[in-house]
Amino acid sequence: MEGSPGNALPVSPQAAAAYRYCEAVTGAQARNFSYGIRLLPADKRTAMSAIYALARRIDDIGDGDWSDERKAEHLGRTRSMLDEVREGDVDPLDTDPVKLALADACSRFPIPLDALDELIDGVEMDVRGTEYQTFEQLRVYCRCVAGTVGRLSLGVFGCTDPKRGAEFADTLGLGLQLTNILRDVREDAGNGRTYLPAEDLARFGCEQGFGGRPAPGADFRGLVLFEARRAQEYFDEGLLLLPMLDRRSRACVAAMAGIYHRLLERIVREPEAVLRGRVSLPAWEKAYVAVAGLAGGRAS
């Protein structure tokens, strides 16, 4: 499926400029996401850039240095902006390029804007300092901050089985977010945040935290491998989405998932590496994974 019939509508000069801004944001800030969306046709690529630019804005509010009160205020303003887009009330001369681009993308594709509200819900959990006692609680957070992106993407990609596709997108997002959590465990600990469930920390003797070094007697390696196995299961199930997509959308998802899966494999090979800093892939390896995705393979 190649999107909706509205794709043939002409793009206004204002919307075109707004899309260029969003593509610049995506190219500059999306370390892994941009490798996948480069594989899409132009109309889908620009729509995905608009979605990413707003998602980036929401994340930046949560990660910024503002007070919690100011963060809550700006997240509320973002919800109001989504209402404008949802109701078709965006002024075509509005000076916010992200709002303009998203409004135009929504006129062309059936983008589920409620998913962006859920993303804000997830960031609000971060602002409140929500802790997760069980994995089921963490799953709710992961669905908000990662599964939503999958469902937004399906609105642009199209899918032969929308209901099952959305379920697989959520599941794949869970695998991606668990990989993120493992990769960023030291950085998050430095910021006073622990996303891994308290029940898992206790199971492996890591309830005192880890920072740069686990406490004596803690099985940090066992903890990481346990969570990595869980992430792998979600990757395996979530990638059942691929046959439901057209060739280039499938390549986009395969590229993004492939990059994160390679990160997960590196973490599994050396779990303690996440305590030394963020595990990452070189640009050439990301490009290789993207090309493999376009060729129809899964470069894992």
Side-chain angles (χ1 to χ4, degrees):
M1 299 175 65
E2 291 294 338
S4 68
N7 293 351
L9 294 172
V11 179
S12 70
Q14 294 84 1
Y19 279 129
R20 287 195 294 273
Y21 171 85
C22 293
E23 289 193 284
V25 170
T26 303
Q29 299 190 39
R31 296 184 182 92
N32 298 323
F33 187 80
S34 62
Y35 282 88
I37 68 171
R38 290 175 190 173
L39 306 177
L40 296 170
D43 57 344
K44 293 185 179 184
R45 185 177 66 249
T46 53
M48 289 297 294
S49 294
I51 290 170
Y52 175 83
L54 183 56
R56 179 76 268 163
R57 178 182 293 181
I58 294 168
D59 282 346
D60 286 346
I61 292 171
D63 293 339
D65 296 328
W66 293 335
S67 67
D68 290 349
E69 293 75 15
R70 191 175 180 193
K71 289 179 180 180
E73 177 187 348
H74 279 268
L75 290 172
R77 290 180 183 175
T78 305
R79 286 192 192 276
S80 297
M81 186 200 81
L82 286 175
D83 288 338
E84 287 183 56
V85 176
R86 189 179 287 114
E87 295 163 12
D89 289 340
V90 177
D91 185 337
L93 299 180
D94 196 288
T95 57
D96 183 346
V98 177
K99 184 197 297 187
L100 274 182
L102 185 64
D104 188 84
C106 286
S107 73
R108 299 168 190 280
F109 299 97
I111 296 171
L113 289 176
D114 289 353
L116 284 166
D117 285 300
E118 289 184 60
L119 177 57
I120 295 175
D121 291 342
V123 172
E124 286 177 337
M125 293 181 197
D126 282 336
V127 172
R128 292 193 300 267
T130 303
E131 296 181 350
Y132 306 99
Q133 297 301 312
T134 67
F135 180 70
E136 288 307 310
Q137 293 173 345
L138 180 63
R139 183 200 293 268
V140 173
Y141 170 77
C142 292
R143 184 179 192 274
C144 286
V145 299
T148 53
V149 176
R151 283 177 277 127
L152 288 161
S153 300
L154 287 188
V156 175
F157 296 161
C159 181
T160 59
D161 187 338
K163 184 177 184 298
R164 291 182 67 227
E167 293 170 356
F168 288 139
D170 264 344
T171 302
L172 184 57
L174 189 51
L176 298 177
Q177 189 61 27
L178 283 174
T179 302
N180 263 339
I181 288 171
L182 291 174
R183 180 195 64 183
D184 296 340
V185 69
R186 176 176 176 173
E187 180 180 335
D188 290 332
N191 293 326
R193 292 287 299 160
T194 300
Y195 289 94
L196 295 175
E199 63 182 7
D200 295 349
L201 297 175
R203 175 178 179 178
F204 292 94
C206 295
E207 60 267 47
Q208 296 181 30
F210 17 84
R213 177 179 298 179
D219 183 11
F220 180 75
R221 179 183 180 86
L223 172 67
V224 171
L225 292 177
F226 174 77
E227 303 296 353
R229 283 193 295 272
R230 179 179 268 163
Q232 180 64 58
E233 291 174 1
Y234 290 121
F235 270 109
D236 291 342
E237 182 178 347
L239 286 170
L240 295 175
L241 170 66
L242 294 182
M244 301 179 183
L245 305 177
D246 66 71
R247 176 176 172 267
R248 291 177 69 174
S249 299
R250 185 165 60 245
C252 174
V253 174
M256 289 189 286
I259 288 169
Y260 276 92
H261 192 257
R262 284 198 166 212
L263 287 173
L264 183 64
E265 288 177 328
R266 291 196 174 194
I267 291 169
V268 168
R269 286 200 299 270
E270 190 180 359
E272 294 81 3
V274 298
L275 294 177
R276 297 196 295 270
R278 173 178 286 205
V279 177
S280 62
L281 301 181
W284 70 263
E285 191 168 356
K286 294 178 183 179
Y288 167 74
V289 174
V291 171
L294 188 60
R298 281 170 52 186
S300 60

